[in-house]
Amino acid sequence: MHIVVTGGAGFIGANFVHHVVREHPGTEVTVLDALTYAGDRRSLDPVADQITFVTGDIADTATVDRLVAAADAVVHFAAESHNDNSLADPWPFVQTNVVGTYTLLEAVRRHGTRLHHVSTDEVYGDLELDDPAKFTPTTPYNPSSPYSSTKASSDMLVRAWVRSFGVAATISNCSNNYGPYQHVEKFIPRQVTNVIDGVRPKLYGTGHNVRDWIHVDDHNAAVWEILTRGQIGETYLIGADGEVDNKTVVQTLLELMGQSPDAYDLVCDRPGHDLRYAIDATRLRDELGWAPRFTSFRDGLAATVDWYRANEAWWRPQKDATEARYATLGR
Ligand code: NAD
Ligand code: DAU
């Protein structure tokens, strides 16, 4: 099988390419990535001689058409992915997440190519802290931020192209990922690299917001199963029953890094900050037999801390510009 991986120089996409090269040898991989501030070709260094890398935009019809025509399947990770950035400047989110996904859909329609669209649990909005409910494939869409509303839009485009044009696509909506190669703008790498730099972690609001954490390798193993064995037209929710509030995440990191558990600061909240996410992954588990391998969040966090300690050369170039952006937001 020849797959095109969009966004393969980003956090989850790069880990997906590593996963495919390691676990599914014989798969031909072409990465299409625009190398925005969030893309880093060095994340693919360990597999560079086993893949083809194309620098390009998913909204560029000619490039996309050429690559899609030569592929059996497209795994679509490319996106603007950070909520805080979407609040500061929504336009790149509309352009890449909506227009870019449209461009890919038209190409797979022309060439009859299989598509797997990688999306987020944020399309469902948020849940109350004391609500026993979790998101399911029938939860109504109710996105809160410019980021999540553009991802919701892209999901709707995929659904419409399946129904109206018979495009062979699947969708997955996953919860918060952690692991190696994640940009230091995101919560866990930001706090780990802050502590390495002697800066106190920063919690938005009161720190009681809950995220449903999953290791990136477990997400990617699920994406492969859906790509190869999922039902066309279906939506699969991916999550590993990993609900933890932000304050507990920071306190666990502080403890793992030898700091006092109260050595953090509360900073001003994110506007519209979603309270809680929680995934019901029953369909994925029952239909495709998927189960997470990283069952201890604490052990996964410890390994992630070790990775950032060992790979300062990878994250250091992004750190100052990221913190300068946060400083303008007061966070
Ligand atoms: P990321 O920001 O780390 O990586 C995005 C990648 O896409 C980068 O390499 C960037 O250069 C590339 N890109 C951006 N615009 C592009 C364009 N116009 N053309 C080509 N490439 C472009 O993002 P991530 O965290 O790896 O997320 C990947 C996907 O997974 C996204 O679709 C996101 O919505 C989804 N997702 C993320 C999470 C999470 O916790 N990070 C959870 C669920 C779903
Ligand atoms: O749920 C899936 C989503 O998870 C993905 O679709 C997004 O691409 C991904 O970025 C992530 O979105 P979040 O907004 O949940 O992730 P972020 O890492 O930005 O923040 C996680 C939580 O931590 C959130 O409640 C905000 C909070 N936070 C974040 C930062 C950067 C802090 O308290 N302090 C911080 O410094």
Side-chain angles (χ1 to χ4, degrees), residues 74-85:
V74 177
V75 188
H76 176 31
F77 292 94
E80 288 290 337
S81 69
H82 192 40
N83 277 297
D84 289 321
N85 294 343

Side-chain angles (χ1 to χ4, degrees), residues 80-84 119-122 147 151 174-177 182 184-191 194 202-205 207 209-211 213 246 250 267 270 273-275 277 326 331:
E80 288 290 337
S81 69
H82 192 40
N83 277 297
D84 289 321
S119 192
T120 169
D121 59 358
E122 295 194 15
Y147 162 67
K151 290 298 293 188
C174 188
S175 60
N176 286 62
N177 287 218
Q182 187 169 29
V184 292
E185 70 189 353
K186 302 297 191 324
F187 180 47
I188 289 174
R190 184 182 185 204
Q191 315 313 337
N194 275 353
K202 296 177 194 308
L203 272 174
Y204 292 176
N209 303 64
V210 170
R211 296 295 183 263
W213 292 99
N246 292 342
V250 159
V267 296
R270 172 187 283 170
H273 194 176
D274 279 341
L275 197 50
Y277 305 139
Y326 277 122
R331 291 200 283 277

Side-chain angles (χ1 to χ4, degrees), residues 6-14 32-40 56-60 76-82 92 95-97 100 117-122 147 151 172-178 181-183 185-186 213-214 216 219:
T6 73
F11 163 47
I12 306 175
L32 172 62
D33 197 295
L35 294 177
T36 69
Y37 82 95
D40 192 333
D57 192 320
I58 55 163
D60 173 355
H76 176 31
F77 292 94
E80 288 290 337
S81 69
H82 192 40
Q95 172 62 22
T96 286
N97 301 357
H117 174 62
V118 177
S119 192
T120 169
D121 59 358
E122 295 194 15
Y147 162 67
K151 290 298 293 188
S172 55
N173 297 86
C174 188
S175 60
N176 286 62
N177 287 218
Y178 71 98
Y181 299 107
Q182 187 169 29
H183 195 283
E185 70 189 353
K186 302 297 191 324
W213 292 99
I214 181 172
V216 65
H219 180 184

